[in-house]
């Protein structure tokens, strides 16, 4: 499964149509990053660069020049090199960039100092995201300065630098049919991994061993990598929002909170489920869980183009707070407790974020000071939770150390939304049935 060449082309065209006349856009590929000594992290292309090119290699720079007669899409990349390819793998080379990635023109990256200033020269405006890559910022300035040094010979340096992200990130926020299909598939693989984990978890397993079930299921279905480090927290570890050690044994009677999703074709999925290590929820676990589930369903119910971005969060907060009062964890009038943010002791994060090529995807949440209206094609997560700290002596001991989050990925449609991650159960009874059947 992949995004078509036509779609990459359509994106470049759409971006160039929005650029001012006589301008240039410049995007560097992500640098390779060292893990330790001479070992590198698995390479992941920069999301913006990928969105516009689908080109998977490091040491590349893409340039868009709307209206340029000799071609609007120019790619600088590594040259083919037999020895390097034997050691480190295939390279497209400038020939491959033209043949397989629709570049109109492609040059060796080693020639960029000689060629790029000539492409910038005479263009009034440069679209570039400054501050993301220090090395490249400096390089770009050196090319611009090279032009400035030649003004007396008639060279025309650009007058304006504009953030490319204003245009590009708004495009990325709206998912095309192809992107929706890719994200639906990523969601389905991740949902299958959560089902597998519910089926295979046993007391005594370590958290990282449960994590292995996810990684196995992702890869088995063509998703080589998780979209972010998996969070597998048994018992009170579920209350640590970014717990990634995943090193403890899972205990009978505890819940395990797993926040794990695969990346497919560079698109993220992001699912959290919380389920009992031994297959059955205790009364307290079930009571808190049902509050979170009710909040999540309420938030999904208002994920609709009639509403703004923050409305699902407001609904989740309302339902969570009412539930906390009903269970006696908070005392007082729910509306007032929402007003004073008393719920934050148990619910300290937001209910979601945009999802796409990045797990916390790009796109503005507010426009002109107001919350942004939801629109068809946007994808977001809905992920309320409740976390009772293990040392919270303001609540009865029976509640302490329970951490619950339920997270789904949701596509906004014309008349509401589609839950992309619907294939993994989330009602207590359904989870218990699934787990019981796997143990029979
Ligand atoms: N997995 C990251 C998040 O849920 O935001
Ligand atoms: Mn999330
Ligand atoms: Mn998550």
């Amino acid at each position: 499964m992949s995004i078509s060449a036509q779609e990459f082309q359509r994106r470049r065209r759409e971006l160039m149509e929005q650029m001012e006349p006589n301008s240039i856009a410049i995007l560097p590929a992500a640098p390779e990053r060292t893990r330790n000594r001479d070992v590198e992290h698995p390479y992941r292309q920069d999301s913006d660069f990928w969105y516009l090119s689908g080109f998977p290699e490091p040491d590349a720079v893409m340039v868009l020049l709307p209206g340029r007669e000799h071609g609007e899409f120019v790619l600088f990349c590594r040259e083919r090199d037999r020895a390097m390819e034997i050691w480190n793998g295939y390279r497209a080379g400038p020939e491959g960039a033209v043949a397989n990635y629709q570049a109109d023109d492609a040059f060796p990256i080693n020639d960029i100092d000689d060629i790029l200033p000539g492409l910038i020269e005479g263009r009034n405006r440069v679209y570039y995201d400054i501050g993301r890559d220090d090395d490249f910022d400096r390089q770009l300035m050196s090319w611009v300065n090279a032009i400035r040094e030649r003004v007396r010979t008639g060279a025309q340096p650009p007058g304006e630098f504009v953030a490319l992200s204003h245009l590009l990130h708004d495009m990325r926020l709206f998912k095309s049919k192809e992107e929706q299909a890719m994200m639906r598939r990523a969601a389905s693989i991740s949902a299958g991994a959560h089902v597998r984990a519910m089926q295979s978890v046993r007391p005594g397993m370590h958290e990282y061993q449960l994590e292995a079930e996810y990684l196995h299921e992702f890869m088995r279905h063509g998703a080589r990598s998780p979209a972010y480090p998996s969070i597998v927290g048994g018992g009170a570890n579920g209350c640590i929002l970014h717990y990634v050690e995943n090193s403890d044994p899972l205990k009978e009677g505890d819940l395990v909170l797993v926040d794990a999703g695969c990346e497919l074709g560079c698109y993220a999925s992001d699912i959290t489920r919380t389920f009992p290590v031994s297959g059955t929820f205790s009364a307290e676990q079930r009571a808190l869980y049902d509050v979170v589930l009710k909040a999540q369903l309420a938030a999904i119910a208002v994920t609709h183009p009639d509403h703004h971005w923050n409305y699902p969060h407001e609904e989740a907060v309302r339902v969570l707070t009412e539930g906390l009062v009903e269970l006696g964890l908070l005392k007082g009038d729910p509306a007032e407790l929402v007003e004073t943010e008393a719920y934050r002791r148990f619910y300290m994060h937001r209910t979601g974020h945009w999802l796409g090529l990045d797990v916390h995807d790009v796109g503005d949440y507010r426009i002109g000071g107001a919350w942004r209206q939801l629109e068809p094609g946007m994808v977001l997560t809905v992920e309320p939770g409740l976390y009772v700290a293990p040392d919270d002596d303001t609540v009865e001991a029976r509640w302490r150390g329970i951490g619950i989050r339920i997270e789904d990925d949701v596509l906004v449609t014309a008349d509401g939304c589609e839950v992309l991650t619907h294939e993994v159960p989330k009602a207590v009874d359904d989870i218990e049935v699934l787990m019981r059947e796997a143990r029979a």
Side-chain angles (χ1 to χ4, degrees), residues 228 231 258-261 269-272 353 359-360 381 383 405 407 409:
Y228 53 90
I231 296 168
V258 185
D259 186 342
S269 56
D270 183 7
I271 305 182
T272 307
H353 49 83
V359 63
H360 296 160
T381 66
E383 50 177 307
R405 176 162 68 256
E407 174 173 32
D409 304 344

Side-chain angles (χ1 to χ4, degrees), residues 98-369:
V98 171
N100 303 321
Y101 296 92
Q102 290 73 50
D104 297 312
D105 241 347
F107 303 103
I109 188 74
N110 290 338
D111 295 348
I112 196 165
D113 289 339
D114 298 329
I115 297 170
L116 190 52
L119 295 175
I120 298 172
E121 211 252 287
R123 301 250 159 194
N124 298 334
R125 181 184 275 230
V126 180
Y127 289 85
Y128 172 69
D129 284 319
I130 211 149
R132 278 167 51 172
D133 179 336
D134 289 346
D135 291 340
F136 198 80
D137 287 354
R138 268 194 297 278
Q139 249 183 309
L140 181 58
M141 279 312 124
S142 76
W143 294 320
V144 171
N145 284 336
I147 303 169
R148 287 177 180 151
E149 278 166 19
R150 293 189 292 106
V151 282
R152 279 182 301 280
T153 67
Q156 293 174 281
E160 261 186 274
F161 284 79
V162 187
L164 177 63
S165 58
H166 288 318
L167 302 177
L168 193 54
H169 292 181
D170 214 60
M171 287 172 60
R172 278 179 52 188
L173 180 55
F174 294 88
K175 276 65 181 178
S176 69
K177 288 280 177 270
E178 286 190 33
E179 291 180 294
Q180 292 173 22
M182 183 74 82
M183 293 187 74
R184 204 173 278 118
R185 179 72 192 130
S188 174
I189 294 170
S190 296
H194 280 270
V195 168
R196 181 189 172 104
M198 288 176 187
Q199 290 168 331
S200 51
V201 67
R202 296 287 183 279
M205 268 173 94
H206 281 70
E207 292 161 340
Y208 57 79
Q209 289 171 316
L210 190 58
E211 181 182 6
E213 299 292 334
Y214 285 83
L215 301 182
H216 177 87
E217 196 70 8
F218 294 167
M219 286 207 193
R220 218 160 73 79
H221 290 99
R224 283 290 306 279
S225 170
Y228 53 90
S230 308
I231 296 168
V232 184
N237 289 342
C239 298
I240 304 168
L241 297 179
H242 292 154
Y243 176 77
V244 288
E245 286 91 340
N246 303 350
S247 53
D248 285 348
L250 293 165
K251 293 205 234 48
E252 171 104 45
D254 276 352
L255 295 176
V256 58
L257 182 156
V258 185
D259 186 342
C262 71
E263 179 177 279
L264 186 73
C266 289
Y267 286 86
S269 56
D270 183 7
I271 305 182
T272 307
R273 287 293 183 269
T274 311
F275 44 96
V277 170
S278 50
T280 321
F281 287 80
S282 72
E284 286 77 15
Q285 290 165 350
R286 177 187 280 257
L288 275 178
Y289 188 97
D290 280 340
V291 171
V292 177
L293 181 58
K294 194 172 170 196
Q296 206 235 12
L297 294 174
I300 290 173
V302 299
T303 301
H304 188 289
D306 282 349
H307 300 308
H308 60 68
W309 156 259
N310 204 45
Y311 195 37
H313 178 64
E314 291 165 9
E315 275 295 278
V317 163
R318 181 181 64 76
V319 175
L320 290 173
T321 307
E322 287 171 2
L324 287 166
V325 171
E326 261 170 49
L327 296 178
L329 282 99
L330 283 178
K331 294 190 177 41
D333 170 40
E336 218 165 275
L337 295 166
V338 168
E339 192 62 35
T340 58
E341 300 191 346
Y343 63 86
R344 284 185 66 95
R345 232 173 69 222
F346 305 108
Y347 183 45
M348 57 298 279
H349 61 78
R350 295 195 49 89
T351 303
H353 49 83
W354 304 131
L355 185 72
L357 287 172
D358 293 306
V359 63
H360 296 160
D361 207 30
V362 294
D364 290 332
Y365 292 96
R366 283 180 186 270
I367 291 187

